[in-house]
Amino acid sequence: MTARTDLGLDLGLDLDVPPELSARAPAEARGEARDGVRMLVGRRATGGVEHRRFAELPEVLRPGDLLVVNNSATLPAALPGWLPDGTPVAVHLSSAQPDRHGAHLVELRRVVPGQAAAYYPPEESPARAGLRVTLPAGGAAELTGAFTSRLWHAELALPTPLLPYLTLHGRAIRYGYVDREWPIEAYQTVFATVPGSSEMPSAARPFSAEVVARLAGRGVLVAPVTLHTGVASPEAHEAPYAERFHVPAATARLAGHVRAGGGRVIAVGTTVVRALESAVGPDGTLQEADGWTELVITPERGVRAVDGLLTGWHEPRASHLLMLAAVAGRPLLTSCYRAAVRQRYLWHEFGDVNLLLPD
């Protein structure tokens, strides 16, 4: 049964995304290479769309273009927990580092035997200030206050530092459309070097060493930023919240050089757009930056540091679509999403991708 929803962003589109278009397993488990997934290319100047394979990316881009990638590595950020009465819950940790207030953000989810942990509607959630959730090996998370209807500030008391604790006791966060648990390696990209993301910066998942080498051979540049992703809200459709990011000075300088020479800066993922746009100085130039960003990118705000975007397929009510419309324009975004459903592209972190280019 298909749930009918709309983009909800004044994009003029009602969209059905049938459940069977959810990618339920990594490409490798479906008999494809990582770089064998499909790639729909949309060009803003013409409004045209092309159907490609991701392995063709080097031929689609131009010598002198710059791909900016997120080097954040995915954490096994889902922990088993128990309420005071012994009821099991899943604890999704939203940050490897305490936020600017010194607390972590967590989401409690319902344990469903044999399935992914399920969303607690706010009226059914056991979360409350003062609730102490027992974690493995004598650890605990005490909720101190609500951040949103699903996310709570929590103080962690762990027997070891957080990263090794997660390595021992955590698993990758997964949602109901994924068929089973997959090892954390399935949630890493080839650029992942800095641990910190609760969920995979999935736009870069199709990259392989071979594709990266072919990009270099064609004269397409690659540079990193870091943005550690929080816990998504596939059910609640919340606006983005603060995330930790870093734009290195070398990446900022290279982006400026590329644009000055007529090349295009193409972000690999919405996380990269958020990081780069958060690093634009008062004079409009990209600068080194480090800290927490609360930036929400909309069509009205627009983008200043990014010319194009490689991204996955987002839920019809996802707030990310505001950012996509800012980069691609509403008409092209509408065309891409209609074509993706019609041609049965696959959604979510293990699915196909959308390359949005200015021309």
Side-chain angles (χ1 to χ4, degrees):
M1 184 173 182
T2 300
R4 187 170 181 77
T5 55
D6 62 64
L7 286 176
L9 305 170
D10 294 328
L11 296 177
L13 175 65
D14 288 331
L15 185 69
D16 287 334
V17 182
E20 62 268 22
L21 296 189
S22 293
R24 303 191 179 279
E28 307 91 289
R30 305 194 303 264
E32 298 177 329
R34 278 200 181 210
D35 59 18
V37 300
R38 300 169 73 191
M39 179 175 70
L40 190 152
V41 181
R43 300 181 187 273
R44 187 168 185 170
T46 63
V49 300
E50 307 164 19
H51 300 286
R52 301 269 195 157
R53 291 284 171 179
F54 183 80
E56 299 176 76
L57 180 65
E59 288 71 51
V60 174
L61 299 181
R62 302 171 184 162
D65 283 342
L66 171 64
L67 287 171
V68 183
V69 301
N70 188 355
N71 63 11
S72 180
T74 311
L75 302 171
L79 289 165
W82 295 267
L83 300 179
D85 65 0
T87 300
V89 292
V91 180
H92 288 185
L93 181 69
S94 189
S95 175
Q97 298 176 324
D99 63 19
R100 62 185 64 181
H101 307 293
H104 291 271
L105 288 178
V106 301
E107 178 185 10
L108 302 186
R109 292 180 75 92
R110 190 194 312 274
V111 171
V112 182
Q115 300 179 33
Y119 173 65
Y120 269 122
E123 65 275 10
E124 299 176 13
S125 175
R128 55 177 172 78
L131 178 69
R132 187 175 176 85
V133 180
T134 301
L135 300 175
E142 182 171 339
L143 307 190
T144 59
F147 178 70
T148 68
S149 62
R150 71 183 180 97
L151 289 169
W152 284 71
H153 294 288
E155 294 182 355
L156 301 183
L158 303 176
T160 65
L162 180 59
L163 293 184
Y165 183 83
L166 291 176
T167 299
L168 284 174
H169 304 291
R171 296 179 177 179
I173 289 174
R174 73 171 176 122
Y175 296 107
Y177 51 79
V178 176
D179 63 359
R180 64 178 177 86
E181 290 184 354
W182 295 94
I184 193 64
E185 290 75 19
Y187 293 85
Q188 307 294 6
T189 74
V190 296
F191 306 111
T193 56
V194 184
S197 280
S198 295
E199 298 182 11
M200 174 174 54
S202 56
R205 192 182 192 279
F207 281 86
S208 62
E210 179 183 352
V211 167
V212 173
R214 287 172 47 225
L215 286 165
R218 184 165 167 77
V220 176
L221 305 169
V222 178
V225 298
T226 305
L227 185 140
H228 296 314
T229 68
V231 173
S233 54
E235 300 92 357
H237 306 294
E238 295 168 352
Y241 54 92
E243 294 171 312
R244 183 82 186 182
F245 82 105
H246 175 61
V247 174
T251 296
R253 287 195 300 268
L254 182 58
H257 176 75
V258 164
R259 278 187 142 183
R264 302 174 296 182
V265 174
I266 299 164
V268 178
T270 58
T271 60
V272 172
V273 178
R274 197 181 198 199
L276 290 177
E277 293 296 322
S278 298
V280 175
D283 62 354
T285 61
L286 192 61
Q287 303 174 355
E288 179 180 14
D290 185 85
W292 291 83
T293 177
E294 298 186 44
L295 181 63
V296 177
I297 298 168
T298 66
E300 291 69 31
R301 178 197 180 275
V303 291
R304 294 186 288 173
V306 171
D307 302 302
L309 171 63
L310 176 72
T311 183
W313 297 99
H314 300 278
E315 291 287 350
R317 291 176 57 209
S319 61
H320 288 308
L321 291 174
L322 289 167
M323 179 189 293
L324 270 60
V327 174
R330 298 167 192 260
L332 178 60
L333 191 61
T334 299
S335 296
C336 288
Y337 271 73
R338 286 177 173 166
V341 172
R342 187 168 57 248
Q343 296 297 323
R344 304 187 68 76
Y345 279 67
L346 295 181
W347 253 247
H348 302 303
E349 64 266 31
F350 294 140
D352 298 314
V353 292
N354 184 199
L355 177 61
L356 300 167
L357 294 174
D359 51 27

